[in-house]
């Protein structure tokens, strides 16, 4: 939180109340396909002040007009007296507020005082990043009446309040694409743009400005430092022409990555293709002088690391099974020796598996330490369908997760740990969690790495957090920049899985909307249909097209690639039973 935003919170007397037990997730939501998180804004004009507005109506309209940041919030300043408009400091982050009430405290023929009360749900950073927030917002606003009607006359605190409904109607989600540190794959950085500022020039300019603060230490860019944006124009016959200047002479492979960053970013905002991109007047890709299409950079697809094929596996009664022709077939290899498989993860290419073996806890219960002298759980890994070897033994081990380069992650005896192969063999790194524990306290019962290998999602004391994996110069790995995933999830989460690099699916120990989706873009959680589920839901597995859960009856599936409202969860006939755990690559 920056100093301006901090001042705003103080001056608005926001009381930080984390509503951990009270969540506002709709109980009748239709399935949420991943694309629905990319909201399309409304084109209705913003309100303008008029002489017929009473004080309450004028302040309501002002909070809607603040959504337009153009020209230092000119639209919103029209609701202020000229003197007040000149001194209002609108710089810094904005608070996105829901359930806004404007209450009249006092009124005469020429003056009025109102109170604005609402729920702080997010902070919109100046770079367009949206971060969930909590707390109550309350502000007293004074108005004066003149021959043009009521206007806000009293001083306003620094910063901006935006009505959440207006934000959702007038802002659009755009994903900027950077690369990982090794410049081998694209990493999405979701940002929000006001509808009037979503042109290709504005989007590329923000891409050139670099990643969000939380991704700066974990990502890179193939676009050379110092590159400047030249002309941007819509081409006759279709497409966009973009000229980058002072970019030097990148090597062919670097040019291919530059093209991928630009094309996937522009595709995110639906800018018309093809994209004729030049470096100092010369085609970025010499073999594509007339323009670059998405198909030309498909090998750098940002979802390439995410599975869209339902290669479902199931853990049942301590054994790991493939689902083949409607029946459970034990996996080949030695994984099932002893019938003690408790949890498992499969790499995205389905070539490797990691699993925890040991005495099985109660379904849905978090990992518990082994009793003194008792058998201890063991983390194993190996080729999928082949032999597995032990990685670690501990009193408690959470479900494993594959990270970048098939690194294996798990929480071993309460400590997030990474096992990776490098020069000299296997390296074990215990993550620095100082930043994490400053945000949330409690046991970590699940940790899953995003398909692009940059973020993690964790359940800490039942609450869901996002964090970023940072490999520090001193050789340590750190879980940095933690934040709550959404303001309306609560503290009853029991399992989670990534459906895509930017979308998480969560299972909660509740009867209403036990399964929810939440994006990393800052939007609130959206509930999936729940009418025919049989809670408690104790496990979840997701990919780009489907979500699988384990409830009290067995494994069920729901397509999340469509938004048909009358969809229901469908039984997986081969996997019926209360202890079933679905697993996807």
């Amino acid at each position: 939180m920056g100093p301006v935003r901090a001042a705003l919170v103080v001056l608005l007397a926001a009381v930080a109340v984390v509503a951990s037990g009270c969540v506002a997730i709709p109980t009748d939501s239709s399935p949420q396909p991943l694309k629905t998180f990319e909201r399309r804004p409304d084109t209705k004009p913003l309100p303008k002040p008029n002489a017929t507005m009473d004080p309450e109506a004028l302040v309501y309209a002002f909070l809607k007009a603040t959504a337009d940041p153009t020209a230092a919030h000119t639209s919103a300043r029209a609701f202020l007296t000229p003197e007040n408009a000149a001194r209002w400091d609108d710089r810094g982050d904005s608070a996105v507020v829901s359930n806004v009430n404007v209450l009249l405290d006092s009124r005469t023929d020429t003056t009025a005082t109102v109170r604005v009360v609402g729920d702080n749900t997010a902070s919109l950073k100046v770079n367009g990043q949206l971060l969930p927030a909590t707390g109550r917002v309350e502000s007293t606003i004074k108005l004066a009446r003149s021959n043009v009607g009521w206007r806000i006359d009293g001083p306003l605190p620094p910063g901006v309040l935006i009505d959440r409904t207006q934000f959702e109607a007038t802002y659009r989600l755009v994903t900027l694409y950077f690369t990982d540190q090794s410049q081998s794959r694209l990493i999405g950085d979701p940002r929000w743009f006001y509808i009037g500022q979503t042109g290709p020039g504005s989007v590329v300019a923000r891409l050139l400005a670099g990643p969000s603060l939380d991704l700066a230490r974990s990502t890179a860019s193939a676009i050379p430092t110092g590159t400047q944006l030249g002309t941007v124009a819509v081409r006759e016959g279709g497409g966009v022409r973009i000229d980058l200047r002072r970019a030097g002479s990148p090597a062919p492979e670097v040019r291919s990555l530059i093209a991928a960053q630009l094309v996937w970013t522009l595709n995110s905002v639906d800018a018309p293709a093809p994209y004729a991109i030049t470096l100092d007047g010369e085609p970025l890709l010499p073999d594509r002088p007339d323009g670059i299409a998405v198909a030309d950079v498909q090998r750098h697809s940002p979802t390439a690391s995410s599975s869209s094929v339902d290669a479902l596996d199931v853990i049942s009664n301590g054994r790991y099974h493939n689902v083949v022709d409607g029946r459970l077939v034990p996996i080949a290899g030695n994984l099932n020796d002893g019938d003690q498989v408790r949890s498992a993860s499969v790499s995205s290419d389905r070539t490797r598996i990691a699993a925890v073996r040991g005495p099985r806890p109660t379904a849905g219960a978090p990992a518990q330490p082994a009793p003194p002298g008792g058998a201890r759980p063991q983390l194993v890994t190996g080729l999928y369908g082949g032999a597995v070897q032990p990685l670690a033994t501990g009193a408690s081990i959470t479900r494993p997760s594959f990270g970048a380069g098939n690194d294996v992650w798990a929480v071993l005896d309460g400590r997030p740990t990474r096992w990776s192969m490098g020069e000299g063999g296997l390296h074990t790194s215990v993550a620095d969690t100082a930043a994490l524990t400053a945000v949330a306290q409690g046991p970590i019962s699940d940790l899953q790495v995003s398909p692009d290998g940059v973020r993690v999602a964790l359940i800490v004391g039942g609450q869901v957090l996002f964090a970023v994996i940072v490999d520090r110069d001193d050789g340590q790995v750190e879980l940095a920049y933690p934040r709550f995933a959404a303001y309306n999830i609560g503290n009853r989460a029991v399992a989670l899985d990534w459906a895509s690099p930017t979308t998480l699916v969560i299972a909660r120990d509740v009867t209403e909307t036990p399964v929810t989706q939440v994006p990393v873009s800052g939007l609130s959680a959206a509930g999936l249909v729940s009418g025919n589920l049989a809670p408690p839901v104790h496990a979840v597995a997701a990919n780009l097209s489907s979500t699988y859960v384990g409830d009290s009856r067995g494994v069920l599936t729901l397509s999340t690639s469509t938004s048909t409202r009358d969809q229901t969860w469908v039984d997986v006939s081969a996997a019926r039973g209360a202890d079933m755990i679905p697993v996807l690559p």
Side-chain angles (χ1 to χ4, degrees), residues 55 104 106-114 141-146 150-151 153:
L104 182 66
S106 63
R107 177 175 173 174
T108 68
D109 290 340
T110 58
T111 64
T113 301
V114 301
I141 296 178
K142 296 182 179 180
L143 300 92
R145 188 174 189 174
S146 66
W150 291 100
R151 294 293 185 271
D153 187 44

Side-chain angles (χ1 to χ4, degrees), residues 120-204:
N120 188 14
T121 61
S123 173
L124 180 65
K125 316 299 284 186
V126 293
N127 67 355
Q129 187 180 28
L130 188 70
L131 300 178
T134 58
R136 291 284 288 173
V137 171
E138 183 170 345
S139 180
T140 298
I141 296 178
K142 296 182 179 180
L143 300 92
R145 188 174 189 174
S146 66
N147 58 342
V148 296
W150 291 100
R151 294 293 185 271
I152 297 172
D153 187 44
L156 293 171
V160 177
L161 289 181
I162 303 176
D163 176 75
R164 187 177 185 91
T165 11
Q166 192 66 26
F167 169 83
E168 293 179 351
T170 56
Y171 274 72
R172 178 171 180 183
L173 178 62
V174 177
T175 303
L176 309 183
Y177 285 100
F178 299 92
T179 73
D180 67 317
Q181 293 281 15
S182 65
Q183 295 197 350
S184 60
R185 60 189 183 278
L186 296 185
I187 307 298
D189 187 356
R191 308 286 187 89
W192 292 90
F193 286 71
Y194 181 66
I195 186 174
Q197 300 174 342
T198 56
S202 299
V203 173
V204 174

Side-chain angles (χ1 to χ4, degrees), residues 356-435:
V356 176
R357 297 193 300 196
R360 298 193 303 276
T362 303
Q368 297 292 331
R376 292 158 63 86
Q378 184 180 65
L379 176 64
V380 299
T381 188
L383 293 177
Y384 183 88
V388 296
Q389 301 83 32
L391 272 182
T393 300
S396 65
I397 308 176
T398 64
R399 180 170 65 116
S401 177
F402 280 96
N406 280 339
D407 294 347
V408 175
W409 283 79
V411 182
L412 174 65
D413 294 338
R415 298 176 297 177
T417 306
R418 180 179 69 183
W419 293 265
S420 56
M421 291 300 298
E423 293 184 7
L426 181 68
H427 294 267
T428 303
S429 304
V430 177
D432 181 344
T433 57

